[in-house]
Amino acid sequence: MKTMRELLNWGEKFALENGKEDSAVKLLLMDATQKESYEILADMNMVVPQEQVEKFEHDVHLYVEDNIPVQHIMGYETFFGHKFIVNDDVLIPRFETEELVANVLSTYDDVFNGSKVKVVDVGTGSGAIGVTLAVEEPNMEVTVTELSEAALEVAKQNANQLGANVTFYQGDMLQPLIERGLKFDILVSNPPYIPLTEEVDPFVKDNEPHLALFGGEDGLKFYRQILRDAHKVVNEKNIIAFEHAYNHKEAMAQLIKEHFPHSKFETLKDLNGKDRMTIIINN
């Protein structure tokens, strides 16, 4: 018979002794017991059923010893308050991307004033951006593209479980849209942006799809591709929003000036004060 306190103390100690973040342990305890954080903290002496104890201990060993991300063990990540299915076919959504979504919603209010718009999320992965926009703003008619069929299947599952009305196209970046002659008011993308030569944490490199991580020699391959072709898929009045590496602010500015020389654009900082999002506005 083990209590919440005993399990949490054991898990956190085991994680720290093996060089792992102990904050992940509580997430695994919440998942195993199907309790919220406040419920665990409110009654740390609660006795945990043996079946849940065994699941928790098994999952902690997967995290600490087998180097498996907590999100893959639980099968989901919370993004913008919604649970998104994740596995090793998709990138695990990060908090910076939540900020991108928030900024797109805010810019949409400023530019389109709540009117109906067509939105495309390019290279959607798990669907985190496109599906969230469809859920959060009913006046957004959302389409997503994704090269990986496996990732697209995950995105479809997330749209279904969250009741989001999203159109899906399998293909390389903007190509499926160009082929169909489709036009959009808002284009948003968080493409792969790690340079091929950059050292990547093995925990990330070993567990997340390389297709979603690496963006060519300098990390800008897909931004070039999207900006080169964006004129073919956006309406005259539009918003184009990107997440990018914190050290790509100047490179992004040069690309935008090359392909959208008369457009207004702004680079925004994330909560850590790093330049992580650039938004182009044509109105």
Side-chain angles (χ1 to χ4, degrees):
M1 304 286 282
K2 297 181 179 179
T3 65
M4 291 284 189
R5 187 188 310 279
E6 290 170 333
L7 290 174
L8 194 58
N9 287 343
W10 166 78
E12 290 178 341
K13 182 181 178 183
F14 184 49
L16 289 172
E17 288 176 345
N18 288 276
K20 294 287 188 175
E21 290 286 338
D22 61 340
S23 57
V25 172
K26 185 189 284 187
L27 294 176
L28 292 174
L29 185 58
M30 291 166 58
D31 185 60
T33 60
Q34 294 298 292
K35 300 286 185 183
E36 297 296 331
S37 177
Y38 73 88
E39 294 177 293
I40 292 174
L41 295 175
D43 192 358
M44 292 288 279
N45 293 320
M46 181 190 309
V47 175
V48 180
Q50 185 59 28
E51 182 179 340
Q52 295 179 358
V53 170
E54 291 174 1
K55 173 174 171 50
F56 171 71
E57 292 176 342
H58 175 263
D59 289 351
V60 170
H61 280 284
L62 287 177
Y63 168 62
V64 174
E65 296 180 329
D66 294 347
N67 214 33
I68 298 177
V70 169
Q71 295 89 344
H72 289 177
I73 296 169
M74 299 188 302
Y76 68 87
E77 172 65 300
T78 301
F79 183 88
F80 225 82
H82 309 291
K83 284 187 177 180
F84 276 80
I85 298 166
V86 293
N87 57 29
D88 55 11
D89 291 320
V90 298
L91 195 71
I92 297 169
R94 268 70 167 182
F95 75 89
E96 297 94 342
T97 311
E98 289 185 312
E99 295 179 57
L100 176 65
V101 169
N103 279 299
V104 169
L105 289 169
S106 175
T107 307
Y108 155 76
D109 287 338
D110 293 340
V111 175
F112 290 101
N113 197 30
S115 61
K116 289 188 178 297
V117 292
K118 292 186 176 182
V119 180
V120 62
D121 171 19
V122 181
T124 194
S126 67
I129 295 174
V131 171
T132 299
L133 290 173
V135 171
E136 295 293 325
E137 179 47 70
N139 284 324
M140 288 185 174
E141 181 183 324
V142 177
T143 295
V144 304
T145 73
E146 172 58 50
L147 181 60
S148 165
E149 292 185 21
L152 200 63
E153 185 57 37
V154 174
K156 289 177 180 178
Q157 291 176 34
N158 282 318
N160 288 337
Q161 71 163 356
L162 293 172
N165 184 18
V166 176
T167 301
F168 300 87
Y169 292 118
Q170 192 272 328
D172 187 17
M173 295 295 164
L174 304 184
Q175 200 56 40
L177 315 174
I178 296 170
E179 290 171 356
R180 293 168 173 82
L182 301 176
K183 292 282 189 175
F184 298 89
D185 306 295
I186 299 175
L187 185 158
V188 59
S189 184
N190 176 26
Y193 55 69
I194 300 175
L196 286 170
T197 55
E198 186 173 309
E199 288 293 323
V200 179
D201 184 341
F203 191 59
V204 173
K205 192 173 182 179
D206 294 345
N207 289 291
E208 299 190 69
H210 290 191
L211 186 66
L213 293 172
F214 297 102
E217 291 298 321
D218 60 359
L220 294 165
K221 172 184 176 181
F222 297 108
Y223 299 95
R224 291 190 186 93
Q225 185 176 336
I226 293 170
L227 286 168
R228 181 195 68 210
D229 294 336
H231 292 283
K232 301 173 185 177
V233 301
V234 293
N235 292 318
E236 185 175 350
K237 181 178 180 180
N238 64 70
I239 298 168
I240 301 174
F242 293 109
E243 180 181 330
H244 52 76
Y246 70 91
N247 57 350
H248 280 166
K249 175 182 178 179
E250 297 305 322
M252 289 297 298
Q254 286 302 117
L255 285 173
I256 293 166
K257 289 173 184 176
E258 178 183 346
H259 295 284
F260 287 84
H262 306 297
S263 301
K264 295 182 295 182
F265 66 92
E266 180 181 10
T267 298
L268 304 171
K269 296 183 183 297
D270 64 20
L271 291 177
N272 289 326
K274 294 184 177 182
D275 298 314
R276 292 302 295 266
M277 294 152 278
T278 294
I279 297 182
I280 308 166
I281 300 174
N282 291 289
N283 63 349

